[in-house]
Amino acid sequence: MRQKIVAGNWKSNTNVKDGVQLAADVNKLVAEKGDKDVKVILGVPFTHLTKVVETVDKNIGVAAQNIGEEKSGAFTGEVSAEMVKSTGADYVILGHSERRQLYHEDSNSLNKKISLAFENDLIPIYCCGEPLEIREADTHMDYVKKQLEETIFKLSEADFKKLIIAYEPIWAIGTGKTATDEQAQEMIGFIRSIIAEKYNKELSEEISILYGGSAKPSNAGNLFAKKDIDGGLIGGASLKADDFIQIINAY
Ligand code: PGA
């Protein structure tokens, strides 16, 4: 059975004190009443990583939201994969649409980050998804396929296996406009089918693929009920522990 995952993406929100409190609140709720079949991951700002790792129980994963594309050196302001790993974090969100759009992260840069993540034993949560104009032009399948072909489809089977993929249609992120369960299932089912073509059927059945984009307590249950959707990457609703636990328990 595929691993069910609910990952929070806090983005650039909370200071260290409030973030550690949020992590402690989520940790308590997960321990008290969290669905034990769901792997919970918190994607927090760099500044919070060490403290959040110390705050949560071992069963909760901690993710950075980015890493630098170079190993180390004269790159002022960059945080390397090795630095992230040394905080005790085990995951990193890569290729988020905000990074692709606002910070011009292209496939070339993303590929460097993906290999550095693997070299440092960080599991990438790889994001893909189309903007509104592509969805409206009905070319979203080709668009997402190309994103995968330029990046993670270059990985060996052994590395590919370790990935978590998140499909996040850009028009649904932070807009309150969730993709319908059918739209999300259609794309995630499609992603699974092209993984089967590129690698093999077993691998396509093993890998966890999440949905992200205005997921919240009221719609998570329907989304997670779809056969190919293994959970969610949650932005806004991961900043409230009460909402987040409801999403974790939405299966
Ligand atoms: P949202 O963000 O849930 O606030 O739409 C999701 C994401 O960007 O990962």
Side-chain angles (χ1 to χ4, degrees):
M1 236 193 23
R2 287 195 294 270
Q3 177 70 64
K4 297 172 182 173
I5 298 167
V6 173
N9 176 11
W10 292 4
K11 308 191 180 186
S12 191
N13 290 300
T14 73
N15 60 27
V16 174
K17 182 167 168 282
D18 296 344
V20 169
Q21 186 59 53
L22 175 58
D25 292 346
V26 170
N27 190 59
K28 184 162 179 280
L29 289 169
V30 169
E32 280 170 10
K33 56 176 182 184
D35 181 339
K36 298 289 173 267
D37 292 336
V38 177
K39 174 78 189 172
V40 177
I41 301 172
L42 301 179
V44 309
F46 289 131
T47 43
H48 301 27
L49 285 168
T50 306
K51 286 214 163 180
V52 170
V53 167
E54 283 166 12
T55 301
V56 298
D57 293 336
K58 288 277 163 288
N59 56 310
I60 295 188
V62 179
Q65 301 168 13
N66 183 29
I67 47 175
E69 62 178 50
E70 305 293 342
K71 238 189 179 102
S72 63
F75 304 103
T76 303
E78 288 296 275
V79 176
S80 72
E82 188 187 353
M83 292 171 197
V84 166
K85 185 67 190 182
S86 70
T87 67
D90 287 320
Y91 299 86
V92 59
I93 298 170
L94 288 178
H96 192 280
S97 60
E98 286 152 18
R99 299 227 49 96
R100 293 184 196 248
Q101 290 193 318
L102 305 173
Y103 302 96
H104 313 296
E105 197 165 86
D106 59 11
S107 300
N108 184 32
S109 143
L110 209 40
N111 285 334
K112 292 190 200 167
K113 294 181 181 194
I114 293 168
S115 35
L116 284 167
F118 281 123
E119 272 174 39
N120 288 281
D121 255 334
L122 289 169
I123 298 174
I125 303 174
Y126 172 85
C127 305
C128 57
E130 79 286 356
L132 185 59
E133 64 273 18
I134 296 289
R135 170 63 66 165
E136 285 174 343
D138 203 23
T139 52
H140 44 289
M141 301 291 201
D142 288 343
Y143 185 93
V144 169
K145 186 174 185 201
K146 186 160 176 282
Q147 285 185 321
L148 304 191
E149 281 171 347
E150 288 179 357
T151 55
I152 53 175
F153 277 7
K154 294 179 189 286
L155 292 171
S156 68
E157 190 179 327
D159 278 345
F160 194 91
K161 243 188 196 143
K162 299 178 204 153
L163 283 176
I164 299 167
I165 297 176
Y167 167 58
E168 299 203 309
I170 298 171
W171 45 273
I173 296 179
T175 57
K177 211 174 167 188
T178 326
T180 64
D181 320 339
E182 287 73 26
Q183 286 172 321
Q185 164 58 36
E186 182 189 35
M187 180 62 87
I188 292 178
F190 171 70
I191 292 173
R192 226 179 267 296
S193 75
I194 57 176
I195 294 171
E197 270 168 38
K198 168 72 191 166
Y199 295 92
N200 55 67
K201 180 98 180 128
E202 295 72 50
L203 182 51
S204 77
E205 291 296 336
E206 263 171 50
I207 189 153
S208 295
I209 311 182
L210 317 181
Y211 167 78
S214 299
K216 44 188 174 277
S218 58
N219 59 28
N222 286 339
L223 286 161
F224 298 173
K226 291 291 177 193
K227 77 175 171 57
D228 285 303
I229 305 180
D230 303 313
L233 180 56
I234 317 298
S238 72
L239 293 168
K240 293 191 197 111
D242 287 337
D243 284 357
F244 195 52
I245 190 71
Q246 287 183 57
I247 297 174
I248 293 164
N249 289 344
Y251 280 96

